[in-house]
């Protein structure tokens, strides 16, 4: 556990070769926490592998999933700038000069933001399921677009919202959203309710929406999604960031001046063609703005990192960097 200020301690774990290439795994969500799977993308003979749980989730403390927690107080000190500072504190604590930064989904957002803030500390970037946290991306996934692809799961997602604020499942006009209603805002109210049953029901629906739509081939079990402690931390933190647009400007990560800061960092981008959570358009726009980075499309993958084609490309990327920097 590493104290990072504001009463927060982040969990971290180091594995692999103590003298290997330092590599940090940046998990998604935000609020998703890490699992042992984080290590599987790196050859442990070549890499010193670091994984950590971002503030408020996983094994980091205090957790926003604690029913007794002052969630507003905890989230006030949970921003992109705080997470970037935590990564720097961890890097310094581990006496690392530069490290390979590996992130997918929200992890790609934070990895890009970190690299643009500290380009001299990044040896290389491996990015998957690109998420630039723009309003268009949030609207597509949380305000109806993805509901056209997963209507049965969309109905479940809508179930937490007051009936007069959600489109009916049998709406003859095919609406997936009521004009003027932002479902992210509606969920924000539910996730901050004083009634714990309301919080846990909303958290489960929010979490399962992502868990069930992340794979091209829908798995029998959606991983940690559906487990109460995970769901509450995941939903509360993710929603907090989305309501606040990740505390960055819309399109900020694509601005030419910010891309120029990372242009010379060796990088690999891997994107699932059928990613519904983080649709490919964002990855394509990042590729156009940053053609120096290798760009690979997995034509048989959705959003998840463990889908065969995406996983193979990610492992190939870290193996290639191991040969380059080892």
């Amino acid at each position: 556990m590493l104290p990072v200020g504001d009463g927060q301690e982040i969990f971290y774990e180091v594995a692999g070769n103590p003298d290997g290439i330092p590599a940090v795994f940046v998990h998604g969500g935000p609020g998703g926490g890490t699992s042992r799977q984080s290590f599987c993308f790196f050859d442990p003979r070549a890499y010193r592998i670091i994984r950590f749980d971002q503030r408020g989730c996983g094994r980091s403390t205090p957790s926003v999933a604690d029913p007794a927690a002052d969630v507003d107080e905890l989230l006030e000190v949970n921003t992109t700038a705080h997470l970037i500072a935590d990564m720097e504190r961890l890097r310094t604590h581990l006496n690392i000069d530069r490290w390979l930064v590996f992130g997918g989904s929200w992890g790609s957002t934070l990895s890009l933001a970190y690299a643009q803030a500290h380009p001299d500390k990044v040896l290389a970037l491996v990015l998957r399921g690109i998420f630039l946290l723009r309003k268009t991306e949030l609207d597509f996934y949380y305000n109806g677009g993805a509901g056209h692809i997963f209507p049965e799961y969309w109905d479940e997602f809508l179930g937490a919202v007051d009936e007069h604020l959600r489109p009916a499942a049998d709406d003859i006009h095919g609406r997936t959203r009521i004009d003027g209603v932002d479902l992210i805002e509606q969920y924000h109210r539910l996730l901050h309710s004083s009634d714990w049953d309301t919080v846990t029901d909303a958290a489960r629906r929010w979490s399962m929406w992502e868990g069930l739509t992340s794979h091209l081939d829908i798995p029998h079990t959606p991983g940690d999604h559906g487990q109460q402690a995970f769901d509450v931390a995941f939903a509360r933190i993710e929603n907090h960031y989305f309501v606040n647009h990740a505390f960055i400007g819309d399109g900020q990560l694509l601005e030419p001046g910010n891309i120029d800061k990372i242009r010379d960092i060796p990088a690999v981008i891997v994107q699932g063609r059928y990613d519904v959570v983080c649709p490919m358009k964002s990855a394509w726009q990042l590729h156009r703005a940053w053609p120096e980075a290798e760009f690979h499309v997995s034509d048989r993958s959705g959003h998840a990192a463990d889908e065969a084609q995406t996983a193979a490309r990610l492992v190939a990327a870290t193996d290639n960097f191991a040969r380059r920097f080892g």
Side-chain angles (χ1 to χ4, degrees), residues 17-64:
N17 182 351
D19 299 316
I21 303 161
V24 62
F25 182 95
V26 185
H27 70 69
T34 56
S35 68
R36 290 261 172 196
Q37 184 198 62
S38 314
F39 294 134
C40 296
F41 300 103
F42 306 91
D43 182 344
R45 298 165 298 181
Y47 283 99
R48 180 187 181 193
I49 314 157
I50 302 105
R51 69 176 177 123
F52 72 101
D53 290 338
Q54 295 160 29
R55 292 185 177 209
C57 68
R59 282 188 267 181
S60 294
T61 59
S63 171
V64 301

Side-chain angles (χ1 to χ4, degrees), residues 13 17 23 35 40 54 73 84 101 150 238 266 274-275 281 284 291:
E13 186 173 3
N17 182 351
S35 68
C40 296
Q54 295 160 29
E73 184 176 282
I84 290 172
V101 179
F150 294 100
E238 200 170 65
Y274 299 104
D275 189 337
K281 183 176 181 180
W284 180 251

Side-chain angles (χ1 to χ4, degrees), residues 93-289:
H93 175 71
L94 295 175
N95 197 30
I96 292 170
D97 179 31
R98 293 194 299 162
W99 53 8
L100 181 149
V101 179
F102 181 116
S105 193
W106 157 256
S108 74
T109 320
L110 182 55
S111 296
L112 283 167
Y114 173 83
Q116 291 176 1
H118 300 284
D120 57 322
K121 306 305 180 186
V122 180
L123 182 66
L125 284 162
V126 178
L127 306 173
R128 187 267 315 164
I130 301 304
F131 185 31
L132 302 175
L133 230 157
R134 297 171 295 176
K135 188 176 187 302
T136 55
E137 296 167 83
L138 295 174
D139 274 347
F140 173 81
Y141 190 61
Y142 289 103
N143 277 316
H148 287 279
I149 302 169
F150 294 100
E152 70 274 44
Y153 303 140
W154 180 246
D155 283 354
E156 287 294 317
F157 178 73
L158 292 175
V161 179
D162 289 345
E163 190 169 356
H164 71 284
L165 295 175
R166 66 176 188 256
D170 58 354
D171 184 351
I172 63 170
H173 301 292
R175 296 181 303 169
T176 53
R177 179 180 181 181
I178 292 177
D179 290 342
V181 174
D182 184 340
L183 294 172
I184 297 174
E185 293 281 0
Q186 292 300 314
Y187 261 91
H188 185 74
R189 176 179 57 80
L190 295 167
L191 292 166
H192 289 258
S193 171
S194 59
D195 179 67
W196 186 243
D197 289 340
T198 297
V199 171
T200 56
D201 178 65
R204 180 184 62 81
R205 291 175 187 272
W206 178 282
S207 178
M208 290 296 289
W209 169 238
E210 185 160 331
L212 291 169
T213 58
S214 288
H215 290 76
L216 184 59
D217 293 320
I218 300 170
H220 293 296
T221 57
D224 292 327
H225 300 275
Q227 300 178 32
Q228 182 173 291
F230 175 88
D231 289 349
V232 174
F234 181 78
R236 277 180 159 174
I237 295 174
E238 200 170 65
N239 180 272
H240 162 69
Y241 272 77
F242 296 170
V243 163
N244 290 286
H245 303 287
F247 309 92
I248 59 177
D250 202 60
Q252 176 181 319
L253 297 175
L254 279 181
E255 291 174 356
N258 287 325
I259 293 293
D260 286 344
K261 294 173 184 176
I262 61 173
R263 196 172 296 282
D264 296 330
I265 296 175
V268 175
I269 299 167
V270 178
Q271 178 68 34
R273 167 78 65 184
Y274 299 104
D275 189 337
V276 172
V277 182
C278 298
M280 186 176 147
K281 183 176 181 180
S282 293
W284 180 251
Q285 289 177 311
L286 180 62
H287 165 60
R288 289 195 308 180

